[in-house]
């Protein structure tokens, strides 16, 4: 069974800013403190979604989360009216205000792990929101993520929803950024590859020394159990700890898979050759492994250009395309790699370069912006239809962004209570456009 791989992209939120919150994310740290452009960022994200929809792919949208997170600030001891909470946090703890104002839910690859019904024991698609427990600003997201996913995928006969994993860093789960589903042509089910950075309880196990390994093997195993995946079709693969220390904070920064194609850097995995052989056997000899050597492009070059944070998609006529950031074309080494891949004997037949620079400056390329949701035709029919992008929805969302988003946002602007009010007004109207009801906490007061 060949499933429809729908892409659900996160809409960039009105508080998109560069606070440099993500330790280990080179781009995030490099642009910390710079002026961001929320309107441009949101329009770039919508343009990317429309581009894929125009290619004939199923493209959905995920709503941004409410930011600033006033409830989190109250839990941190700031009181008064909502405006006073913002003002007091700005004066007393601006870093906490920045953390609770992050628009990082835009990177929907971290939203959840999805297993389609074709692969699960009960025949339902399973959704597990990522716990994101390694970083404070992202740990605020899972509950709202789960609520949104339950609205979009509501039919209990077709979709199963789980709570995020409990616990702290020992069960650190970063969602689909460290998960890939592969399938052999014509196969009845897929193969699930969970990539982890460290084991939680193995003191002698290999792990990075400088930056945190955000995904643990134990977390990946728990998500696989919740998803009711067959152990015979589930593989747990360790990321190379050395590349984590060089800025590869998620597997999707150095490898990307789709159907029977695996595009990866030779330094991606702790034991790359053995892993590729294992996956080829699992796909009955049909794995199209496309390796990029360090002599072609260094880890630093692929991190800087986000070549592997491209999407691989199958177009309606059956050809396979790479959806890459402009930076991968502008960097001479990675551009040459792409040209070599297109010329070689592998399924990737074309490349489409897209401008998502505002996201890239915070460390998120095309693949970061989307959650892959494999669905069959009946599943797709049960999805909340107002969140599936078409020409009309793109036009309405673009006009909504133009009305509500600021052109520029400086770090000190996060302390402006008007930003909170503007954001709430925008989100209130968004739920009307997407017919999501009272999704946000401020709507339920």
């Amino acid at each position: 069974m060949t499933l429809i791989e729908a892409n659900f992209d996160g809409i960039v939120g009105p508080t998109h800013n560069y606070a440099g919150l993500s330790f280990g994310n080179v781009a995030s740290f490099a642009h910390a403190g710079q002026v961001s452009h929320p309107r441009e960022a949101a329009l770039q994200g919508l343009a990317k979604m429309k581009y894929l929809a125009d290619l004939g792919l199923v493209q959905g949208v995920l709503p941004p989360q409410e930011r600033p997170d006033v409830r989190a600030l109250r839990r941190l001891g700031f009181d008064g009216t909502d405006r006073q909470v913002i003002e007091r946090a700005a004066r007393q703890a601006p870093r906490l205000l920045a953390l609770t104002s992050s628009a990082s839910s835009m990177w929907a690859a971290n939203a959840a792990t999805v297993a389609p019904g074709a692969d699960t024991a009960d025949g339902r698609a399973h959704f597990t929101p990522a716990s994101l427990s390694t970083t404070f600003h992202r740990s605020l997201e899972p509950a709202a993520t789960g609520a949104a996913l339950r609205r979009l995928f509501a039919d209990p006969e077709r979709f199963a929803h789980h709570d995020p994993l409990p616990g702290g860093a020992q069960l650190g789960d970063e969602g689909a950024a460290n998960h890939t589903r592969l399938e052999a042509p014509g196969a009845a089910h897929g193969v699930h590859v969970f990539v982890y950075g460290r084991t939680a309880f193995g003191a002698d196990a290999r792990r990075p020394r400088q930056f945190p390994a955000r995904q643990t093997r134990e977390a990946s195993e728990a998500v696989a159990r919740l998803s009711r995946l067959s152990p015979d079709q589930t593989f747990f693969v360790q990321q190379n700890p050395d590349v984590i220390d060089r800025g590869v904070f998620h597997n999707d920064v150095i490898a990307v898979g789709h159907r029977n194609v695996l595009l990866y850097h030779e330094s991606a995995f702790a034991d790359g050759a053995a892993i590729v052989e294992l996956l080829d056997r699992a796909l009955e000899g049909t794995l199209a492994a496309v390796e990029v050597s360090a002599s072609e492009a260094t880890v630093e070059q692929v991190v800087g250009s986000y070549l592997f944070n491209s999407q691989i998609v199958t177009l309606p006529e059956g050809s396979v395309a790479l959806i890459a950031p402009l930076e991968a074309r502008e960097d001479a080494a990675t551009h040459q790699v792409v040209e070599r891949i297109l010329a070689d004997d592998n399924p990737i037949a074309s490349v489409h370069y897209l401008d998502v620079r505002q996201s890239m400056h915070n460390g998120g390329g095309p693949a970061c912006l989307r959650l892959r949701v494999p669905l069959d035709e009946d599943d797709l029919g049960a999805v909340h239809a107002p969140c599936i992008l078409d020409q009309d929805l793109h036009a309405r969302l673009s006009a909504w962004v133009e009305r509500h988003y600021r052109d520029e946002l400086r770090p000190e602007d996060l302390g402006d209570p008007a930003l909170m009010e503007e954001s709430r007004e925008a989100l209130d109207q968004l739920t009307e456009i997407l017919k999501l009801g009272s999704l946000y906490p401020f709507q339920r007061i």
Side-chain angles (χ1 to χ4, degrees):
M1 178 189 298
T2 298
L3 299 176
I4 301 162
E5 188 174 88
N7 294 293
F8 283 79
D9 282 39
I11 299 174
V12 179
T15 61
H16 165 69
N17 70 94
Y18 300 138
L21 304 176
S22 190
F23 184 59
N25 182 329
V26 174
S28 174
F29 266 43
H31 293 90
Q34 294 186 10
V35 176
S36 67
H37 298 275
R39 184 185 304 152
E40 181 182 9
L43 292 175
Q44 285 177 352
L46 290 171
K48 179 233 176 191
M49 297 183 221
K50 182 177 183 298
Y51 191 95
L52 268 67
D54 287 347
L55 288 175
L57 303 173
V58 177
Q59 178 67 60
V61 301
L62 292 173
Q65 299 197 7
E66 180 186 345
R67 293 295 181 270
D69 189 337
V70 176
R71 292 189 305 169
L73 290 171
R74 290 186 183 281
R75 292 173 62 193
L76 294 168
F78 300 100
D79 57 12
T81 65
D82 287 352
R83 290 182 65 91
Q84 289 171 334
V85 166
I86 299 299
E87 291 168 344
R88 288 167 181 171
R91 289 196 307 270
Q92 299 172 26
R95 191 64 173 172
L96 289 179
L97 178 59
L99 288 163
T100 56
S101 298
S102 171
S104 55
S105 65
M106 63 194 277
W107 297 303
N110 302 118
T113 302
V114 184
D119 303 343
T120 65
D122 64 358
R124 295 186 296 169
H126 284 245
F127 295 78
T128 305
S131 64
L132 298 169
S133 58
T134 306
T135 54
F136 173 75
H137 66 293
R138 300 225 63 177
S139 73
L140 300 175
E141 298 175 19
T145 295
L149 291 175
R150 289 172 189 272
R151 296 280 178 98
L152 269 67
F153 306 95
D155 186 345
E157 295 187 0
R158 309 211 66 84
F159 308 120
H161 294 272
H162 304 286
D163 292 333
L165 298 184
Q170 288 179 322
L171 285 172
D173 173 30
E174 300 278 317
N178 293 314
H179 168 258
T180 297
R181 180 186 185 273
L182 303 172
E183 66 176 33
H189 51 70
V191 168
H192 291 258
V193 184
F194 291 85
V195 181
Y196 64 92
R198 63 182 175 89
T199 58
F201 307 113
D204 298 328
R206 291 183 63 189
R207 63 185 62 207
R209 298 177 180 274
Q210 180 180 358
F211 295 139
R214 302 183 184 185
Q215 185 85 25
T216 66
R217 179 177 180 126
E218 291 79 0
S220 296
E221 291 172 342
V223 172
R225 285 192 297 269
L226 288 169
S227 302
R228 303 188 69 178
L229 296 173
S230 168
D232 294 337
Q233 300 298 322
T234 307
F235 300 91
F236 302 98
V237 173
Q238 186 172 16
Q239 191 172 3
N240 181 351
D242 296 335
V243 300
I244 296 176
D245 280 336
R246 295 163 73 181
V248 182
F249 55 99
H250 289 142
N251 178 65
D252 67 2
V253 178
I254 203 160
V256 57
H258 168 75
R259 294 193 176 176
N260 70 322
V261 180
L262 179 65
L263 173 62
Y264 66 101
H265 192 272
E266 69 168 325
S267 302
F269 307 112
D271 191 356
I275 289 165
V276 170
E277 182 180 348
L278 177 68
L279 295 178
D280 188 46
R281 288 201 303 270
L283 267 66
E284 302 177 346
T286 67
L287 179 68
V290 183
E291 182 183 81
V292 175
S293 69
S295 62
E296 291 180 285
T298 65
V299 171
E300 287 72 22
Q301 286 171 318
V302 299
V303 170
S305 67
Y306 263 39
L307 169 63
F308 293 99
N309 203 250
S310 301
Q311 297 175 232
I312 304 176
V313 300
T314 297
L315 302 179
E317 83 281 359
S319 69
V320 177
L322 193 68
I323 310 298
L326 282 176
E327 286 79 355
R329 184 177 66 187
E330 294 169 349
D331 179 85
T334 53
H335 183 238
Q336 188 170 352
V337 166
V338 173
E339 293 301 305
R340 190 268 296 171
I341 291 171
L342 296 179
D344 282 355
D345 183 18
N346 66 71
I348 301 174
S350 61
V351 61
H352 304 259
Y353 293 103
L354 301 184
D355 181 2
V356 289
R357 290 192 193 277
Q358 282 291 311
S359 178
M360 285 284 290
H361 287 172
N362 245 343
C368 280
L369 287 162
R370 65 89 175 92
L371 177 67
R372 287 184 287 188
V373 183
L375 302 166
D376 63 27
E377 290 284 357
D378 291 335
D379 291 337
L380 184 58
V383 173
H384 184 65
C387 286
I388 300 297
L389 193 79
D390 57 17
Q391 297 281 349
D392 177 66
L393 180 57
H394 175 264
R396 294 182 68 193
L397 291 176
S398 297
W400 167 78
V401 169
E402 294 280 7
R403 284 195 306 271
H404 294 287
Y405 280 50
R406 294 190 181 189
D407 177 51
E408 295 184 346
L409 201 62
R410 293 170 173 77
E412 58 269 24
D413 293 336
L414 299 178
D416 179 6
L419 177 63
M420 172 193 67
E421 294 166 350
E422 294 165 13
S423 299
R424 287 179 173 180
E425 181 181 357
L427 296 180
D428 196 39
Q429 292 192 17
L430 178 64
T431 56
E432 293 183 11
I433 294 172
L434 299 179
K435 297 180 171 55
L436 290 171
S438 297
L439 181 66
Y440 297 104
F442 74 88
Q443 294 175 314
R444 300 193 290 272
I445 295 175

